[in-house]
Amino acid sequence: MVWLAIFMFSSTYSWVWDIYMDWGLGRRGYNWLGPRLMFPSVFHYYGVMAADLVLRFMWMQSLIPPSSGAHFELPAYLTFMNMTLELVRRTLWSFFRLENEHRARTKHYEEPDVNFVPLHFTTAQSHKYKRHKERVGKRVLVEVLAVGIAVFVICMLVVIAAQKQARLAQEQEL
């Protein structure tokens, strides 16, 4: 049972690190959020904080050693779902991490004496990328969905192959 306490401490510590350090949230003076928010509703932040906590502990279930005798081991058919939910958690984490990084880098430009934002490129020249059709809206969404579906299918195939391999190994033992 020591491993359970260690896993719980590790997941809780990682969750607090996500909220406070990676996302820049968890500030008492701002209702456990941050001073500058980019999403339109505070419920997005509270919901993602709760989801991150739940999903961190779900991932912990896959770390339970089979020899522990625990009665709450993750069934083999839920392994795929657990992996998919971990991908969702990491995707959510990356969105809020990116938001925090953006806020940190643009904080300087909110000061009253700064009247411009420097560009890291010149607009006077014609570049090849300007001539290409810009990917916007639906096309980007379709690409993201296609990649998500591909990852989903690959994960499913890996789980099915692992389960077949485990069945073959059990049959050979008999």
Side-chain angles (χ1 to χ4, degrees):
M1 286 302 189
V2 173
W3 55 267
L4 181 62
I6 291 171
F7 286 164
M8 289 179 70
F9 175 77
S10 173
S11 292
T12 304
Y13 181 81
S14 298
W15 177 72
V16 170
W17 187 273
D18 283 352
I19 302 299
Y20 193 76
M21 300 300 288
D22 291 339
W23 296 349
L25 303 173
R27 309 297 195 253
R28 284 186 185 173
Y30 299 100
N31 293 326
W32 298 103
L33 297 175
R36 296 171 50 221
L37 303 176
M38 294 177 66
F39 289 103
S41 173
V42 296
F43 296 111
H44 291 104
Y45 296 94
Y46 291 126
V48 169
M49 284 191 271
D52 189 52
L53 179 66
V54 170
L55 294 175
R56 275 206 174 272
F57 278 92
M58 285 188 70
W59 181 249
M60 184 184 74
Q61 290 178 349
S62 67
L63 302 174
I64 297 172
S67 61
S68 69
H71 298 289
F72 52 88
E73 290 181 39
L74 194 64
Y77 65 88
L78 287 180
T79 303
F80 169 71
M81 187 62 94
N82 202 18
M83 286 190 287
T84 304
L85 289 173
E86 178 62 13
L87 286 172
V88 168
R89 186 195 69 78
R90 289 176 184 231
T91 302
L92 290 172
W93 177 91
S94 65
F95 282 130
F96 285 87
R97 176 68 180 115
L98 184 63
E99 178 201 15
N100 185 39
E101 189 66 27
H102 175 73
R103 285 183 311 199
R105 289 177 184 248
T106 59
K107 185 178 182 179
H108 171 71
Y109 301 114
E110 289 184 352
E111 296 174 5
D113 59 339
V114 178
N115 295 324
F116 71 97
V117 175
L119 299 176
H120 300 289
F121 56 89
T122 61
T123 57
Q125 300 175 359
S126 177
H127 296 284
K128 289 181 183 178
Y129 68 84
K130 286 186 178 180
R131 288 184 228 132
H132 292 294
K133 185 177 179 182
E134 191 175 337
R135 295 182 191 173
V136 293
K138 292 180 182 177
R139 184 169 178 179
V140 172
L141 181 61
V142 168
E143 288 178 9
V144 169
L145 288 174
V147 169
I149 290 169
V151 168
F152 184 81
V153 168
I154 290 170
C155 289
M156 189 168 48
L157 292 173
V158 167
V159 169
I160 290 170
Q163 288 176 346
K164 284 183 181 179
Q165 190 69 23
R167 272 191 240 125
L168 288 174
Q170 286 179 346
E171 290 174 2
Q172 289 178 355
E173 288 177 3
L174 300 174

